[in-house]
Structure formats: structure tokens, C-alpha cells
């Protein structure tokens, strides 16, 4: 079993790095942690970075998870190779650019690029964005899946993810106490479906709604409240068509042995208990 | 001159109307108020334990708001006090009282023309409120009054009637009579009279569900979803018959902390009426000096 501790960062290719940086800073509300040649790292919490945009193919998207240490990373590589996954060991240069001690990269059964990292850097400096979006941190990622049953099995049996709830065939899976750190949404493609940042309070969701509208950002879903995680949410479009989400109030599961995953319908009532309707293909039949 | 008396609650609002059908349909189906009878050109609606909190009337009456007093003596004191300020006071006769479901009451006019009724022993219901749709209403919360002379109305409600100012937003005044931040709000306006009615709902879920309900019904969302920086309440407002504003809100500040606190002055701008920046074209909520 590969024991994933938490989701730590996403890496997104873009053909317009300046535009992506402008969006991340001025709309999303992240802080530039570091500019490298052809890449910009963004900070959203106490970690050194939780998002990286780099010059490249927008289909080149990576999600990274932390594992406990060097021996766990070696064991994970062996497990994945036994299962027939091709595993790339991070080079020293790649490790340096990611601000991690070590990492491996592989693809999940759908083809989503995943990195497992050891000792990702934190920083003593707290996050302070240029706009007060109220962000408290990068929290979860939605991935596309071409076969939700197969991929759920991979994430829950090869890795340590546990299903908290399902919306239709889409599993919402936790790694720790937080209701979900990974969600899988059926599609005919691979890649990152959405990236979530938590915000402090309802006020932050609602103020951002009006700010995003004024900036003519495409609001795709919400404001609403998920009946699954109880989080209030807002989804909107970012660079290269990627969906971003703000949410607040996600529930935690502490009575682990007692929790029973619940089944919600794959229709608007399964996604929102306030009555908003998604304009997001992955959330629609 | 007798001192101002304590008030128990903001009791009811009466709304003059040409016909009962349209506002009654709106009250029940859109707002989720519970019909509780119609007699002699008046239709009554419940929102809580009161026998009614909203009355639509075709009986050639002006719009009215009512405050409850504790005792018969308070009613006499209030009558004497108002008279001493030169305000005409009318004692409500038996028929008036029966029509209002009160034991006894007096009536006068505020400077903006609205009737202000002071009532004793208003009728409660032994049956709990159960609206025709689940709007989440828990209480008749407050009324908003429009005035072309906000100074005169503020003087009437504070110095004469005896309510306390909780906050100002520009020249808009939030007036307290119990432990809630406000039960009456005065808005500088180009019109006089009743501006809107606010019902408290259980929580933010109900505010947002009502927002999507309004959208689904193609009703105008006049203001919100938003949050008042003054009272702290989250709200959403639509427009009903006679262009009155109807609000669902939750989380208004209340409690003993408000007593003795210095009323705060917020700037005369839209941001003082919504901390979330929700757009509105309603002039009273833009904060402009009118």
C-alpha cells in the first residue's frame, strides 16, 4: 500500500505564462513564490508552493502527493513497477526546481501524471496575496477518469485513499480527515478537472463572486453548497479552460471506522443543496 | 411628560392594497407565509408564533407598523407622551382592535406618513407556523421605511418614541427596540412610506435557497445575496406587489453587547449596505445622498 499523506501541488503547462501568472495573482489571489526560467511557482499557504505554471503543453498537467520518506518512496516505485506502471525517478535538477528532496513520476490507470514527493519545502513566511481572496490553502484536486470503477480501485487499494461519498460514479476520496483530497470525474480524457483552494469564510466566497463577475471571469457553478462535504463553493474558469474552485466549510471525518460512504445522484441536487446548477461538463450528464 | 416605555416587539405590518388576490398569492407562494384568514377586506399571514405578522388591507387604511407595549398603563403613558410632543393620537375603538387582533391600542403618524400603532395584548397562535413552502422563515424580523426627511423620522423614532440607534450607514438609521440590531431601518429616499419587510430565516442555506428560488421564478433580485456590514445579517431581497421589497435574512447581530455600544457611522456608499459587493440599482442601498 502506498501511503499518501496529502496533495501538495499541481503543475500546469501553459503557452501563455504571463497570462497565467496574471490570472493566478490578480484573479485567483495567489502569491508568486518564485520565478524560474519558464516557470512560476505560486504560494497559497505555509508551503513553499502549491501551484506551478510552466511553459509547455496545456495538456501536460501533474498532481503531486507527499509520502513519508525515502524508503516509502522506493517501496512505492517498486509497487508501481510491479503493477506495470512506468516510473520516472526525479533528477536532482527536477527536485531542485520543485523544492522537494526526492520524487518519482508515474501515470494512474487513466493516464493522469502523478508525482510522489518526499520532503516538500515549507516556508517560514506566511502566504500574503496581493488581493484579499481569503485563501487558506490548496486543498484538493479533481481528476478526470476514463473508468471510475477501475481508478477508484487503484486509488483505494494501491494507494490509501478512502471513499467518503460518491456522486453518481464519481468518488470523492480522503487521504486524511478532510472529506476529500481527490475526486474522480468520468470523462473520455485524462487531466486535472478542477483545483480547489479553501477560503476562510462565506464572506470570501460571496465577495469573490462579485469581484469575479466584475472582472468578467466565467462563473461556472455556484455560489452553492455541496451536500456531500457541506462546503460552500464557487467554481470559475481559469487559463486554458481549467476550472478553479473556492470553498469553505469542508467537513472532516474523524469517526473513520464508523463512516459509511453515501451515494448522491449525478444531477444538480447531488452537487448543490441551494439550487445552483453546474455549467461544467464533468458535472453534467 | 411621561418617559418613553419599553417595547416588547415589532408586532405586525399592514399594507394597503387595491386587491387582495395578488399580494396574497405572492405572500403564500413566493414568500412562503402561512395564510391565516381573510375578513372585511383584510388578509392575514403568519411567519412565526404570532397570530399574524403581515396584513394586506383594502379597507382604505394607510400602511402601518405596530409595536407591542407591556401594559395598559404603558399605552396611556405613550399616548400622553406623543400628545405632549404635539402628535395627534387616536385611540383604536373596539372594531379597530378586533380587526387587528389586539386587546387595545393607539395610533399616530410618523413624519413619513406611515401609521404607527402601539398595541397591547396582540393575539398569538397556539399552533406553530407552517408555511406552504419551506422558505426557512423563523421570524418577522424588521421593516424598512423610506423617508424624504430622514432627520425628522430619526427624531420621531428616537427622541419621541424612544428607540435606540444601533448604527448609521450614511444617513440611513438602524433602530433597535429589543436585543436585535434593528427592527426598523430608515432610508433616505425620494419617496415616503413603507420600503420593505424582512423575514429572518434559519441560516445561510435558506438565504441562498431563496436566492435560487427567486431566480427560478424569474423574480428580480433587487439586492444580494449580500451581508449588511452594520447588522451582520446575510440577506437576499426581491420585489413584490406595489414594488415593496421583501427580504430573507439570517444572522443579524443581537444580544446585550448592543446595549451601551456607541452606534457606528458607516460611509454613505453602497459598500455600507453590502459587504459582499452585490450589485443593486435600488437607490436607497447605494448610499448616495438623495
Amino acid at each position: 500500500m502506498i501511503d499518501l499523506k496529502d496533495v501538495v501541488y499541481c503543475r500546469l503547462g501553459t503557452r501563455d505564462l504571463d497570462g497565467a501568472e496574471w490570472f493566478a495573482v490578480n484573479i485567483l489571489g495567489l502569491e508568486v513564490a518564485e520565478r524560474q526560467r519558464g516557470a512560476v511557482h505560486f504560494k497559497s499557504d505555509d508551503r513553499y508552493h502549491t501551484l506551478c505554471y510552466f511553459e509547455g503543453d496545456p495538456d501536460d498537467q501533474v498532481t503531486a502527493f507527499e509520502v513519508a520518506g525515502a524508503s516509502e518512496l522506493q517501496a512505492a516505485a517498486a509497487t508501481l513497477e510491479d503493477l506495470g506502471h512506468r516510473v520516472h525517478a526525479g533528477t536532482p535538477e527536477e527536485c531542485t526546481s520543485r523544492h522537494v528532496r526526492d520524487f518519482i513520476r508515474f501515470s494512474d490507470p487513466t493516464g493522469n501524471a502523478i508525482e510522489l514527493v518526499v520532503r516538500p519545502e515549507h516556508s517560514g513566511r506566511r502566504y500574503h496575496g496581493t488581493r484579499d481572496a481569503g485563501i487558506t490553502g490548496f486543498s484538493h484536486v479533481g481528476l478526470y477518469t476514463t473508468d471510475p470503477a477501475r481508478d477508484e480501485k487503484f486509488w483505494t487499494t494501491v494507494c490509501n485513499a478512502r471513499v467518503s461519498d460518491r456522486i453518481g460514479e464519481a468518488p470523492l476520496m480522503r487521504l486524511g480527515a478532510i472529506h476529500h483530497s481527490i475526486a474522480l470525474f468520468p470523462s473520455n480524457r485524462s487531466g486535472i478537472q478542477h483545483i480547489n483552494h479553501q477560503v476562510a469564510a462565506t464572506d470570501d466566497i460571496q465577495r469573490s463572486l462579485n469581484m469575479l463577475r466584475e472582472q468578467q471571469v466565467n462563473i461556472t457553478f455556484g455560489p452553492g453548497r455541496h451536500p456531500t462535504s457541506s462546503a460552500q463553493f464557487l467554481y470559475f474558469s481559469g487559463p486554458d479552460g481549467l476550472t478553479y474552485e473556492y470553498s469553505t466549510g469542508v467537513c472532516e471525518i474523524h469517526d473513520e471506522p464508523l463512516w459509511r460512504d453515501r451515494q448522491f445522484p449525478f444531477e444538480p441536487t447531488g452537487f448543490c443543496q441551494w439550487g445552483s446548477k453546474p455549467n461544467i461538463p464533468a458535472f453534467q450528464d | 411628560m411621561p418617559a418613553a416605555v419599553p417595547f416588547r416587539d415589532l408586532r405586525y405590518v399592514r399594507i394597503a392594497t387595491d386587491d387582495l388576490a395578488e399580494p396574497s398569492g405572492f405572500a403564500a407562494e413566493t414568500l412562503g407565509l402561512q395564510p391565516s384568514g381573510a375578513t372585511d377586506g383584510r388578509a392575514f399571514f403568519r411567519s412565526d408564533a404570532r397570530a399574524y405578522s403581515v396584513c394586506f388591507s383594502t379597507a382604505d387604511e394607510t400602511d402601518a407598523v405596530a409595536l407591542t407595549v407591556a401594559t395598559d398603563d404603558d399605552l396611556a403613558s405613550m399616548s400622553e407622551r406623543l400628545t405632549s410632543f404635539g402628535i395627534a393620537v387616536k385611540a383604536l375603538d373596539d372594531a379597530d382592535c378586533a380587526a387587528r387582533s389586539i386587546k387595545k391600542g393607539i395610533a399616530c403618524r410618523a413624519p413619513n406618513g406611515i401609521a404607527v400603532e402601539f398595541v397591547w395584548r396582540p393575539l398569538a397562535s397556539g399552533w406553530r407556523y407552517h408555511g406552504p413552502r419551506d422558505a426557512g422563515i423563523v421570524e418577522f424580523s424588521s421593516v424598512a421605511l423610506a423617508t424624504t426627511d430622514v432627520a425628522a423620522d430619526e427624531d420621531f423614532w428616537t427622541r419621541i418614541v424612544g428607540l435606540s440607534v444601533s448604527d448609521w450607514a450614511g444617513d440611513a438609521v438602524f433602530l433597535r427596540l429589543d436585543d436585535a440590531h434593528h427592527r426598523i431601518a430608515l432610508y433616505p429616499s425620494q419617496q415616503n412610506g413603507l420600503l420593505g419587510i424582512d423575514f429572518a430565516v434559519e441560516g445561510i442555506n435558506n438565504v441562498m435557497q431563496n436566492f435560487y428560488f427567486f431566480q427560478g421564478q424569474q423574480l428580480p433580485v433587487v439586492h444580494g445575496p449580500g451581508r449588511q456590514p452594520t447588522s451582520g445579517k446575510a440577506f437576499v431581497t426581491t420585489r413584490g406587489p406595489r414594488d415593496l421589497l421583501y427580504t430573507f435574512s439570517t444572522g443579524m447581530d443581537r444580544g446585550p453587547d448592543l446595549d451601551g455600544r456607541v452606534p457606528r457611522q458607516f460611509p454613505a456608499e453602497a459598500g455600507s449596505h453590502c459587504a459582499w459587493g452585490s450589485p443593486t440599482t435600488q437607490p436607497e442601498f447605494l448610499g448616495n445622498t438623495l
Side-chain angles (χ1 to χ4, degrees):
Chain A
M1 178 81 81
I2 302 171
D3 189 20
L4 306 179
K5 298 299 182 188
D6 198 3
V7 57
V8 289
Y9 61 71
C10 290
R11 294 174 56 82
L12 305 172
T14 181
R15 306 219 186 277
D16 178 10
L17 190 58
D18 289 343
E21 178 181 329
W22 187 89
F23 180 90
V25 169
N26 295 292
I27 300 298
L28 200 50
L30 302 184
E31 179 184 4
V32 173
E34 181 184 75
R35 285 192 193 82
Q36 297 169 346
R37 187 205 296 263
V40 183
H41 290 67
F42 300 94
K43 183 175 176 63
S44 65
D45 51 34
D46 286 341
R47 293 175 281 198
Y48 184 85
H49 87 289
T50 57
L51 181 68
C52 172
Y53 269 108
F54 60 92
E55 279 174 0
D57 185 344
D59 287 337
D60 192 353
Q61 300 177 329
V62 176
T63 305
F65 298 89
E66 183 175 3
V67 295
S71 58
E72 285 81 0
L73 190 66
Q74 293 313 313
T79 300
L80 291 164
E81 279 173 341
D82 283 351
L83 290 168
H85 293 266
R86 187 185 303 163
V87 176
H88 165 82
T91 65
E93 295 74 28
E94 288 172 329
C95 291
T96 302
S97 79
R98 284 162 175 71
H99 293 269
V100 300
R101 188 55 61 104
D102 198 3
F103 80 97
I104 60 171
R105 183 167 58 236
F106 69 100
S107 295
D108 80 353
T110 281
N112 292 303
I114 307 296
E115 293 180 354
L116 303 183
V117 311
V118 173
R119 291 166 65 179
E121 281 181 18
H122 278 61
S123 77
R125 196 172 54 80
R126 67 179 174 183
Y127 151 75
H128 185 84
T130 51
R131 103 170 175 86
D132 181 15
I135 290 174
T136 56
F138 168 52
S139 180
H140 72 249
V141 63
L143 300 177
Y144 288 115
T145 171
T146 53
D147 184 339
R150 175 198 64 201
D151 289 357
E152 178 185 311
K153 194 172 177 192
F154 171 82
W155 286 100
T156 56
T157 62
V158 179
C159 304
N160 61 319
R162 286 90 69 194
V163 175
S164 294
D165 289 312
R166 290 184 193 82
I167 306 173
E169 301 304 314
L172 310 179
M173 297 179 290
R174 65 188 180 280
L175 298 174
I178 295 168
H179 181 274
H180 59 280
S181 297
I182 323 164
L184 302 177
F185 295 100
S187 181
N188 56 6
R189 55 168 290 189
S190 63
I192 295 175
Q193 189 275 323
H194 80 268
I195 292 176
N196 169 276
H197 292 86
Q198 291 291 306
V199 295
T202 304
D203 281 11
D204 299 305
I205 299 272
Q206 301 278 5
R207 280 192 288 113
S208 280
L209 167 73
N210 290 297
M211 177 272 183
L212 294 174
R213 277 196 181 137
E214 282 161 21
Q215 296 289 323
Q216 304 191 336
V217 174
N218 181 31
I219 310 280
T220 51
F221 190 21
R225 182 171 219 147
H226 289 307
T228 46
S229 66
S230 83
Q232 297 178 37
F233 64 79
L234 184 68
Y235 291 83
F236 51 99
S237 299
D240 304 304
L242 187 81
T243 296
Y244 280 97
E245 179 194 17
Y246 292 133
S247 73
T248 187
V250 64
C251 69
E252 296 187 359
I253 294 170
H254 292 288
D255 53 347
E256 182 81 21
L258 293 175
W259 183 262
R260 296 290 178 267
D261 49 271
R262 299 164 300 175
Q263 178 69 55
F264 288 83
F266 199 84
E267 57 187 48
T269 56
F271 284 97
C272 178
Q273 63 185 117
W274 287 351
S276 66
K277 294 181 175 60
N279 185 22
I280 298 174
F283 293 177
Q284 294 164 323
D285 273 330
Chain B
M1 176 195 310
V5 304
F7 298 106
R8 288 193 162 172
D9 64 6
L10 169 70
R11 193 65 200 182
Y12 57 76
V13 60
R14 190 173 63 244
I15 301 164
T17 179
D18 292 334
D19 93 301
L20 291 179
E22 190 199 5
S24 294
F26 180 84
E29 289 149 30
T30 301
L31 297 179
L33 300 180
Q34 179 181 4
S36 61
T39 53
D40 302 330
R42 298 185 186 87
F44 299 91
F45 291 89
R46 299 185 61 205
S47 57
D48 45 49
R50 294 166 170 88
Y52 73 96
S53 55
V54 176
C55 167
F56 295 102
S57 172
T58 59
D60 197 24
E61 296 169 301
T62 54
D63 292 343
V65 295
L67 308 186
T68 307
V69 300
T71 66
D72 198 0
D73 286 346
D74 284 348
L75 218 46
S77 302
M78 204 62 215
S79 179
E80 200 182 321
R81 181 176 172 83
L82 290 164
T83 306
S84 73
F85 279 100
I87 293 168
V89 180
K90 177 195 168 204
L92 298 173
D93 64 24
D94 288 350
D96 292 335
C97 291
R100 286 160 176 73
S101 296
I102 60 171
K103 187 74 175 174
K104 204 169 176 181
I106 60 172
C108 69
R109 288 288 181 94
N112 74 343
I114 195 163
V116 181
E117 301 184 350
F118 300 93
V119 302
W120 179 51
R121 290 172 62 180
L123 199 62
S125 173
W127 289 50
R128 67 180 172 189
Y129 154 73
H130 184 84
R133 80 172 179 91
D134 183 17
I137 294 174
V138 291
E139 185 187 43
F140 168 47
S141 175
S142 67
V143 294
L145 304 178
T147 169
T148 54
D149 184 353
V150 72
D153 279 282
E154 180 178 332
D155 185 64
F156 170 82
W157 285 103
T158 56
R159 193 169 60 91
I160 301 175
V161 175
L163 306 193
S164 308
V165 176
S166 285
D167 287 311
W168 293 277
D171 286 332
V173 196
F174 298 93
L175 296 166
R176 185 163 85 253
L177 62 85
D178 55 14
D179 73 337
H181 178 272
H182 66 270
R183 295 297 186 185
I184 294 174
L186 303 175
Y187 289 91
S189 180
Q190 291 182 341
Q191 52 170 325
N192 276 310
L194 188 62
L195 180 65
I197 303 170
D198 185 325
F199 298 95
V201 293
E202 287 172 31
I204 185 80
N205 284 1
N206 307 102
V207 171
M208 295 305 296
Q209 284 162 354
N210 282 306
F211 165 66
Y212 286 108
F213 176 81
F214 292 158
Q215 283 196 331
Q217 298 287 309
Q218 302 195 320
L219 291 160
V221 176
V222 176
H223 201 196
R227 195 171 62 74
Q228 274 191 344
T230 46
S231 72
K233 73 181 180 187
F235 66 87
V236 64
T237 301
T238 191
R239 197 185 304 281
R242 247 194 58 188
D243 282 347
L244 292 177
L245 305 182
Y246 289 90
T247 297
F248 290 116
S249 72
T250 191
M252 180 189 279
D253 290 345
R254 59 193 304 171
D257 295 356
L258 292 170
D259 290 325
R261 195 198 71 186
V262 176
R264 299 165 301 178
Q265 175 68 58
F266 289 80
E269 60 186 32
S272 299
H273 295 280
C274 179
W276 293 349
S278 63
T280 183
T281 55
Q282 186 71 26
E284 288 81 2
F285 304 142
L286 293 170
N288 302 333
T289 304
L290 290 158

PDB file of all heavy atoms in Angstrom, chain B residues 30-51:
ATOM      1  N   THR B  30     -44.792  32.787  -3.032  1.00  0.00           N
ATOM      2  CA  THR B  30     -43.416  33.250  -3.224  1.00  0.00           C
ATOM      3  C   THR B  30     -42.672  33.345  -1.901  1.00  0.00           C
ATOM      4  O   THR B  30     -41.571  32.836  -1.759  1.00  0.00           O
ATOM      5  CB  THR B  30     -43.404  34.611  -3.927  1.00  0.00           C
ATOM      6  OG1 THR B  30     -44.074  34.464  -5.185  1.00  0.00           O
ATOM      7  CG2 THR B  30     -41.985  35.097  -4.161  1.00  0.00           C
ATOM      8  N   LEU B  31     -43.316  34.009  -0.925  1.00  0.00           N
ATOM      9  CA  LEU B  31     -42.606  34.200   0.342  1.00  0.00           C
ATOM     10  C   LEU B  31     -42.700  32.972   1.241  1.00  0.00           C
ATOM     11  O   LEU B  31     -41.837  32.754   2.086  1.00  0.00           O
ATOM     12  CB  LEU B  31     -43.172  35.413   1.086  1.00  0.00           C
ATOM     13  CG  LEU B  31     -43.015  36.762   0.378  1.00  0.00           C
ATOM     14  CD1 LEU B  31     -43.644  37.860   1.223  1.00  0.00           C
ATOM     15  CD2 LEU B  31     -41.558  37.082   0.086  1.00  0.00           C
ATOM     16  N   GLY B  32     -43.762  32.191   1.080  1.00  0.00           N
ATOM     17  CA  GLY B  32     -43.929  31.042   1.962  1.00  0.00           C
ATOM     18  C   GLY B  32     -44.596  31.392   3.277  1.00  0.00           C
ATOM     19  O   GLY B  32     -44.487  30.648   4.250  1.00  0.00           O
ATOM     20  N   LEU B  33     -45.307  32.536   3.318  1.00  0.00           N
ATOM     21  CA  LEU B  33     -46.060  32.876   4.528  1.00  0.00           C
ATOM     22  C   LEU B  33     -47.321  32.026   4.592  1.00  0.00           C
ATOM     23  O   LEU B  33     -47.848  31.584   3.571  1.00  0.00           O
ATOM     24  CB  LEU B  33     -46.424  34.367   4.524  1.00  0.00           C
ATOM     25  CG  LEU B  33     -45.242  35.350   4.470  1.00  0.00           C
ATOM     26  CD1 LEU B  33     -45.758  36.788   4.476  1.00  0.00           C
ATOM     27  CD2 LEU B  33     -44.288  35.126   5.632  1.00  0.00           C
ATOM     28  N   GLN B  34     -47.803  31.838   5.805  1.00  0.00           N
ATOM     29  CA  GLN B  34     -48.959  30.960   6.007  1.00  0.00           C
ATOM     30  C   GLN B  34     -50.240  31.788   6.076  1.00  0.00           C
ATOM     31  O   GLN B  34     -50.393  32.617   6.981  1.00  0.00           O
ATOM     32  CB  GLN B  34     -48.780  30.185   7.308  1.00  0.00           C
ATOM     33  CG  GLN B  34     -49.934  29.254   7.638  1.00  0.00           C
ATOM     34  CD  GLN B  34     -49.711  28.523   8.952  1.00  0.00           C
ATOM     35  OE1 GLN B  34     -48.727  28.775   9.641  1.00  0.00           O
ATOM     36  NE2 GLN B  34     -50.612  27.628   9.282  1.00  0.00           N
ATOM     37  N   PRO B  35     -51.170  31.579   5.145  1.00  0.00           N
ATOM     38  CA  PRO B  35     -52.429  32.321   5.217  1.00  0.00           C
ATOM     39  C   PRO B  35     -53.144  32.002   6.521  1.00  0.00           C
ATOM     40  O   PRO B  35     -53.208  30.849   6.942  1.00  0.00           O
ATOM     41  CB  PRO B  35     -53.234  31.792   4.019  1.00  0.00           C
ATOM     42  CG  PRO B  35     -52.213  31.186   3.113  1.00  0.00           C
ATOM     43  CD  PRO B  35     -51.128  30.662   4.001  1.00  0.00           C
ATOM     44  N   SER B  36     -53.655  33.042   7.185  1.00  0.00           N
ATOM     45  CA  SER B  36     -54.382  32.782   8.433  1.00  0.00           C
ATOM     46  C   SER B  36     -55.677  33.582   8.466  1.00  0.00           C
ATOM     47  O   SER B  36     -55.999  34.234   9.441  1.00  0.00           O
ATOM     48  CB  SER B  36     -53.502  33.115   9.645  1.00  0.00           C
ATOM     49  OG  SER B  36     -53.139  34.471   9.639  1.00  0.00           O
ATOM     50  N   GLY B  37     -56.374  33.529   7.362  1.00  0.00           N
ATOM     51  CA  GLY B  37     -57.705  34.102   7.340  1.00  0.00           C
ATOM     52  C   GLY B  37     -57.787  35.424   6.607  1.00  0.00           C
ATOM     53  O   GLY B  37     -56.793  36.142   6.470  1.00  0.00           O
ATOM     54  N   ALA B  38     -58.980  35.725   6.130  1.00  0.00           N
ATOM     55  CA  ALA B  38     -59.243  36.998   5.464  1.00  0.00           C
ATOM     56  C   ALA B  38     -60.649  37.427   5.833  1.00  0.00           C
ATOM     57  O   ALA B  38     -61.594  36.644   5.710  1.00  0.00           O
ATOM     58  CB  ALA B  38     -59.112  36.855   3.946  1.00  0.00           C
ATOM     59  N   THR B  39     -60.759  38.659   6.372  1.00  0.00           N
ATOM     60  CA  THR B  39     -62.079  39.180   6.723  1.00  0.00           C
ATOM     61  C   THR B  39     -62.134  40.665   6.419  1.00  0.00           C
ATOM     62  O   THR B  39     -61.115  41.364   6.543  1.00  0.00           O
ATOM     63  CB  THR B  39     -62.387  39.021   8.230  1.00  0.00           C
ATOM     64  OG1 THR B  39     -61.305  39.592   8.968  1.00  0.00           O
ATOM     65  CG2 THR B  39     -62.589  37.579   8.621  1.00  0.00           C
ATOM     66  N   ASP B  40     -63.312  41.153   6.047  1.00  0.00           N
ATOM     67  CA  ASP B  40     -63.562  42.581   5.880  1.00  0.00           C
ATOM     68  C   ASP B  40     -62.463  43.283   5.078  1.00  0.00           C
ATOM     69  O   ASP B  40     -61.965  44.332   5.474  1.00  0.00           O
ATOM     70  CB  ASP B  40     -63.681  43.271   7.257  1.00  0.00           C
ATOM     71  CG  ASP B  40     -64.795  42.667   8.096  1.00  0.00           C
ATOM     72  OD1 ASP B  40     -65.790  42.182   7.492  1.00  0.00           O
ATOM     73  OD2 ASP B  40     -64.673  42.650   9.331  1.00  0.00           O
ATOM     74  N   GLY B  41     -62.081  42.684   3.973  1.00  0.00           N
ATOM     75  CA  GLY B  41     -61.095  43.342   3.118  1.00  0.00           C
ATOM     76  C   GLY B  41     -59.673  43.252   3.624  1.00  0.00           C
ATOM     77  O   GLY B  41     -58.800  43.970   3.150  1.00  0.00           O
ATOM     78  N   ARG B  42     -59.432  42.378   4.584  1.00  0.00           N
ATOM     79  CA  ARG B  42     -58.062  42.212   5.072  1.00  0.00           C
ATOM     80  C   ARG B  42     -57.668  40.745   4.969  1.00  0.00           C
ATOM     81  O   ARG B  42     -58.472  39.856   5.251  1.00  0.00           O
ATOM     82  CB  ARG B  42     -57.940  42.661   6.533  1.00  0.00           C
ATOM     83  CG  ARG B  42     -58.247  44.131   6.778  1.00  0.00           C
ATOM     84  CD  ARG B  42     -57.977  44.499   8.226  1.00  0.00           C
ATOM     85  NE  ARG B  42     -58.396  45.872   8.496  1.00  0.00           N
ATOM     86  CZ  ARG B  42     -59.637  46.220   8.860  1.00  0.00           C
ATOM     87  NH1 ARG B  42     -60.571  45.286   9.000  1.00  0.00           N
ATOM     88  NH2 ARG B  42     -59.932  47.483   9.078  1.00  0.00           N
ATOM     89  N   ALA B  43     -56.432  40.514   4.574  1.00  0.00           N
ATOM     90  CA  ALA B  43     -55.905  39.149   4.521  1.00  0.00           C
ATOM     91  C   ALA B  43     -54.680  39.078   5.423  1.00  0.00           C
ATOM     92  O   ALA B  43     -53.820  39.949   5.371  1.00  0.00           O
ATOM     93  CB  ALA B  43     -55.532  38.768   3.086  1.00  0.00           C
ATOM     94  N   PHE B  44     -54.644  38.035   6.245  1.00  0.00           N
ATOM     95  CA  PHE B  44     -53.605  37.923   7.275  1.00  0.00           C
ATOM     96  C   PHE B  44     -52.642  36.775   6.961  1.00  0.00           C
ATOM     97  O   PHE B  44     -53.069  35.724   6.458  1.00  0.00           O
ATOM     98  CB  PHE B  44     -54.244  37.697   8.649  1.00  0.00           C
ATOM     99  CG  PHE B  44     -55.144  38.820   9.063  1.00  0.00           C
ATOM    100  CD1 PHE B  44     -56.511  38.791   8.762  1.00  0.00           C
ATOM    101  CD2 PHE B  44     -54.634  39.931   9.721  1.00  0.00           C
ATOM    102  CE1 PHE B  44     -57.348  39.841   9.134  1.00  0.00           C
ATOM    103  CE2 PHE B  44     -55.460  40.982  10.092  1.00  0.00           C
ATOM    104  CZ  PHE B  44     -56.821  40.935   9.792  1.00  0.00           C
ATOM    105  N   PHE B  45     -51.376  36.975   7.319  1.00  0.00           N
ATOM    106  CA  PHE B  45     -50.347  35.960   7.045  1.00  0.00           C
ATOM    107  C   PHE B  45     -49.424  35.805   8.243  1.00  0.00           C
ATOM    108  O   PHE B  45     -49.026  36.778   8.872  1.00  0.00           O
ATOM    109  CB  PHE B  45     -49.542  36.335   5.799  1.00  0.00           C
ATOM    110  CG  PHE B  45     -50.362  36.220   4.554  1.00  0.00           C
ATOM    111  CD1 PHE B  45     -51.108  37.300   4.104  1.00  0.00           C
ATOM    112  CD2 PHE B  45     -50.435  35.014   3.869  1.00  0.00           C
ATOM    113  CE1 PHE B  45     -51.905  37.177   2.982  1.00  0.00           C
ATOM    114  CE2 PHE B  45     -51.233  34.886   2.743  1.00  0.00           C
ATOM    115  CZ  PHE B  45     -51.975  35.976   2.303  1.00  0.00           C
ATOM    116  N   ARG B  46     -49.090  34.555   8.512  1.00  0.00           N
ATOM    117  CA  ARG B  46     -48.222  34.229   9.645  1.00  0.00           C
ATOM    118  C   ARG B  46     -46.804  33.916   9.179  1.00  0.00           C
ATOM    119  O   ARG B  46     -46.606  33.368   8.092  1.00  0.00           O
ATOM    120  CB  ARG B  46     -48.749  33.002  10.382  1.00  0.00           C
ATOM    121  CG  ARG B  46     -50.153  33.186  10.964  1.00  0.00           C
ATOM    122  CD  ARG B  46     -50.534  31.969  11.775  1.00  0.00           C
ATOM    123  NE  ARG B  46     -49.596  31.796  12.881  1.00  0.00           N
ATOM    124  CZ  ARG B  46     -49.350  30.646  13.473  1.00  0.00           C
ATOM    125  NH1 ARG B  46     -49.944  29.536  13.084  1.00  0.00           N
ATOM    126  NH2 ARG B  46     -48.499  30.583  14.473  1.00  0.00           N
ATOM    127  N   SER B  47     -45.838  34.242  10.048  1.00  0.00           N
ATOM    128  CA  SER B  47     -44.440  33.911   9.783  1.00  0.00           C
ATOM    129  C   SER B  47     -43.778  33.282  11.006  1.00  0.00           C
ATOM    130  O   SER B  47     -42.610  32.919  10.967  1.00  0.00           O
ATOM    131  CB  SER B  47     -43.666  35.172   9.408  1.00  0.00           C
ATOM    132  OG  SER B  47     -43.774  36.134  10.449  1.00  0.00           O
ATOM    133  N   ASP B  48     -44.519  33.181  12.083  1.00  0.00           N
ATOM    134  CA  ASP B  48     -43.961  32.721  13.366  1.00  0.00           C
ATOM    135  C   ASP B  48     -45.119  32.486  14.322  1.00  0.00           C
ATOM    136  O   ASP B  48     -46.246  32.265  13.878  1.00  0.00           O
ATOM    137  CB  ASP B  48     -42.959  33.754  13.900  1.00  0.00           C
ATOM    138  CG  ASP B  48     -43.494  35.183  13.787  1.00  0.00           C
ATOM    139  OD1 ASP B  48     -44.643  35.408  14.201  1.00  0.00           O
ATOM    140  OD2 ASP B  48     -42.777  36.060  13.263  1.00  0.00           O
ATOM    141  N   ALA B  49     -44.856  32.579  15.616  1.00  0.00           N
ATOM    142  CA  ALA B  49     -45.884  32.248  16.605  1.00  0.00           C
ATOM    143  C   ALA B  49     -47.006  33.285  16.685  1.00  0.00           C
ATOM    144  O   ALA B  49     -48.041  33.034  17.310  1.00  0.00           O
ATOM    145  CB  ALA B  49     -45.244  32.085  17.986  1.00  0.00           C
ATOM    146  N   ARG B  50     -46.805  34.453  16.076  1.00  0.00           N
ATOM    147  CA  ARG B  50     -47.856  35.466  16.101  1.00  0.00           C
ATOM    148  C   ARG B  50     -49.102  34.967  15.358  1.00  0.00           C
ATOM    149  O   ARG B  50     -48.987  34.184  14.410  1.00  0.00           O
ATOM    150  CB  ARG B  50     -47.375  36.731  15.393  1.00  0.00           C
ATOM    151  CG  ARG B  50     -46.221  37.470  16.064  1.00  0.00           C
ATOM    152  CD  ARG B  50     -45.662  38.472  15.043  1.00  0.00           C
ATOM    153  NE  ARG B  50     -44.713  39.407  15.602  1.00  0.00           N
ATOM    154  CZ  ARG B  50     -43.408  39.194  15.703  1.00  0.00           C
ATOM    155  NH1 ARG B  50     -42.906  38.043  15.314  1.00  0.00           N
ATOM    156  NH2 ARG B  50     -42.609  40.119  16.198  1.00  0.00           N
ATOM    157  N   ALA B  51     -50.269  35.474  15.764  1.00  0.00           N
ATOM    158  CA  ALA B  51     -51.490  35.175  15.011  1.00  0.00           C
ATOM    159  C   ALA B  51     -51.326  35.636  13.561  1.00  0.00           C
ATOM    160  O   ALA B  51     -51.817  34.995  12.637  1.00  0.00           O
ATOM    161  CB  ALA B  51     -52.689  35.859  15.653  1.00  0.00           C
TER     162      ALA B  51
END
